[in-house]
Amino acid sequence: MQLDLPYALTAEVTHRCPLHCPYCSNPIELRQRENELSTDEWLSVLTQAGDLGVAQVHFTGGEPLLRQDLEVLVHCAREAELYVNLITSGIGLTEERLRQLSEAGINSVQLSVQASSAKLADSIAGFNSHELKRQAAQRIRASGLPLHMNVVLHRANLHQIEEIIELCVEWGAQRLELANAQYYGWALRNVQQLLPRREQLQEAEAAYVRARERFRNQIELLWILPDYYEEFPKPCIGGWGRLSLTVAPDGRVLPCTAASEIRSLSFENVKERELSWIWKHSPSFNAFRGSDWMPEPCKSCERRELDYGGCRCQAFLLTGDARTADPVCKWSPHRYAITDRIRSIENIDDHAPAPVYSYRGR
């Protein structure tokens, strides 16, 4: 297959975070501060990314604002002619910090929100953050930077979807990503507490459609499909190792943010290899490119060039085999791994006590 250049780099500069969200996609084994790449190492990564042809970088974490050198990294990324997006909880985004980041050349900010009401939002985040997020949104808009927002949707907040959209409009967001929870990392550990019933999801999607009509000229809405309830899987970020790459806090280079969960693969590190070599030649990035690796039923499936067999991380986490068909697929021999989870939550009482989560970082 012809190898394209990567379009985007996700720079996970730290796993540290003031929030403790139960759906966090960071790995269960969080990388500690002493294992994070140094400033100079990140500067090298960003320069190499520009040379490789990357067009945009997303600074994320954890909470990237906890890196005191973030402004230096942003400036380097702009020097490398990268579009720079900051993905943040907003905690610590003071007027002065925002001014420094703006002067360094940041292009846009994506702010997370957990719910429309402060009480529920703070409960989900495990931290009293909702008001701080509102203030951060106000500062971003006042600075003239584009404000994008995102919310992870799950059983505890799906009923607020119209109110969440209305809140983001009020806060001045230009774009809102409505991301139904993906069950990796901490979200998989909390799947029984987070997974909605089919009826809840249908009601939420109807609410989304109403809100889309109501606010059609005020905000761009993006609905991320809840794949547990789909017949076919989503493509793995456009296909494994095809569009983007992630650099983890310790320097490992991953085809996607959840790939470190695949224990059967070893991932190269920017401390030891050039980013270009990793993209083009590393065994991990080439493991699931194309279709030669596919077993049946994927190998002869007419959808193999549409979804590329689905998510490799999900396949590994639910079956122990990263090469098998994504269990979301109705033709997967492991489809029961999805249907058993769905069946187990269908009789949950909506009026039951609040769920007890395993919180990230606790």
Side-chain angles (χ1 to χ4, degrees):
M1 61 173 289
Q2 180 179 354
L3 182 61
D4 295 325
L5 297 175
Y7 176 72
L9 165 67
T10 298
E12 291 184 341
V13 293
T14 184
H15 278 161
R16 291 174 285 145
C17 185
L19 306 188
H20 307 282
C21 302
Y23 52 75
C24 181
S25 61
N26 284 155
I28 299 296
E29 297 178 10
L30 299 171
R31 299 294 157 174
Q32 302 303 309
R33 180 173 185 169
E34 58 268 22
N35 296 322
E36 294 175 4
L37 293 179
S38 68
T39 301
D40 286 344
E41 288 168 333
W42 271 116
L43 295 178
S44 176
V45 168
L46 294 166
T47 301
Q48 290 179 54
D51 292 341
L52 182 56
V54 170
Q56 59 182 243
V57 58
H58 304 281
F59 285 107
T60 183
E63 176 47 65
L65 291 171
L66 290 174
R67 289 282 303 220
Q68 297 307 305
D69 58 357
L70 184 58
E71 290 81 357
V72 176
L73 305 187
V74 169
H75 179 74
C76 176
R78 295 295 287 130
E79 288 289 303
E81 299 184 348
L82 302 176
Y83 179 94
V84 178
N85 181 42
L86 172 65
I87 303 175
T88 177
S89 69
I91 311 304
L93 192 62
T94 62
E95 289 185 13
E96 177 61 18
R97 193 77 195 274
L98 185 58
R99 182 189 65 77
Q100 293 172 350
L101 288 166
S102 182
E103 290 178 352
I106 200 167
N107 295 104
S108 64
V109 182
Q110 182 173 320
L111 180 68
S112 66
V113 65
Q114 279 67 38
S116 62
S117 65
K119 182 178 180 180
L120 179 57
D122 293 343
S123 173
I124 293 169
F127 183 83
N128 292 336
S129 60
H130 190 73
E131 172 58 21
L132 298 175
K133 290 172 179 289
R134 186 194 65 78
Q135 295 174 17
Q138 187 177 44
R139 292 181 184 120
I140 294 164
R141 295 298 297 134
S143 74
L145 286 169
L147 170 62
H148 300 165
M149 296 183 69
N150 69 81
V151 57
V152 176
L153 298 171
H154 45 83
R155 189 193 307 158
N157 65 2
L158 268 173
H159 65 287
Q160 289 192 348
I161 190 166
E162 285 186 90
E163 291 83 358
I164 290 170
I165 295 171
E166 183 174 5
L167 175 83
C168 293
V169 171
E170 290 177 355
W171 285 9
Q174 297 179 11
R175 184 175 185 268
L176 170 60
E177 181 179 299
L178 299 155
N180 286 281
Q182 301 294 293
Y183 297 102
Y184 316 118
W186 292 87
L188 183 60
R189 177 170 287 188
N190 288 302
V191 64
Q192 289 297 110
Q193 296 93 326
L194 295 172
L195 185 64
R197 299 193 313 276
R198 187 183 300 273
E199 180 185 3
Q200 291 175 300
L201 196 56
Q202 290 170 341
E203 292 173 354
E205 190 164 7
Y208 158 71
V209 171
R210 290 195 301 269
R212 186 181 60 191
E213 290 301 308
R214 179 182 171 193
F215 298 109
R216 62 165 50 192
N217 296 320
Q218 299 178 60
I219 190 170
E220 178 188 356
L221 299 177
L222 180 62
W223 175 262
I224 307 298
L225 287 173
D227 60 354
Y228 269 32
Y229 286 100
E230 297 296 309
E231 289 190 338
F232 299 109
K234 294 180 291 188
C236 178
I237 316 181
W240 179 274
R242 290 172 64 99
L243 295 180
S244 64
L245 47 80
T246 295
V247 177
D250 61 355
R252 287 174 302 158
V253 186
L254 313 170
C256 73
T257 56
S260 63
E261 302 272 19
I262 303 179
R263 305 299 184 185
S264 57
L265 289 179
S266 296
F267 297 98
E268 303 284 350
N269 197 298
V270 292
K271 296 177 183 179
E272 300 157 358
R273 289 281 194 178
E274 293 291 315
L275 202 61
S276 177
W277 185 93
I278 296 172
W279 175 258
K280 297 174 183 176
H281 304 296
S282 69
S284 59
F285 270 77
N286 284 293
F288 305 117
R289 280 175 171 154
S291 58
D292 290 344
W293 62 271
M294 291 181 179
E296 296 293 354
C298 300
K299 193 172 187 65
S300 58
C301 180
E302 61 185 12
R303 295 180 56 84
R304 67 183 180 277
E305 297 299 329
L306 298 176
D307 57 34
Y308 312 106
C311 177
R312 298 300 88 220
C313 302
Q314 190 156 262
F316 180 83
L317 288 168
L318 297 184
T319 74
D321 182 1
R323 295 181 70 254
T324 196
D326 187 332
V328 163
C329 181
K330 69 177 184 179
W331 293 319
S332 170
H334 301 281
R335 174 66 182 171
Y336 65 86
I338 299 293
T339 56
D340 286 354
R341 280 176 167 79
I342 293 173
R343 192 177 299 115
S344 71
I345 58 92
E346 282 300 319
N347 295 320
I348 291 177
D349 183 358
D350 286 340
H351 302 291
V356 178
Y357 300 117
S358 294
Y359 276 108
R360 174 208 187 279
R362 288 186 176 176

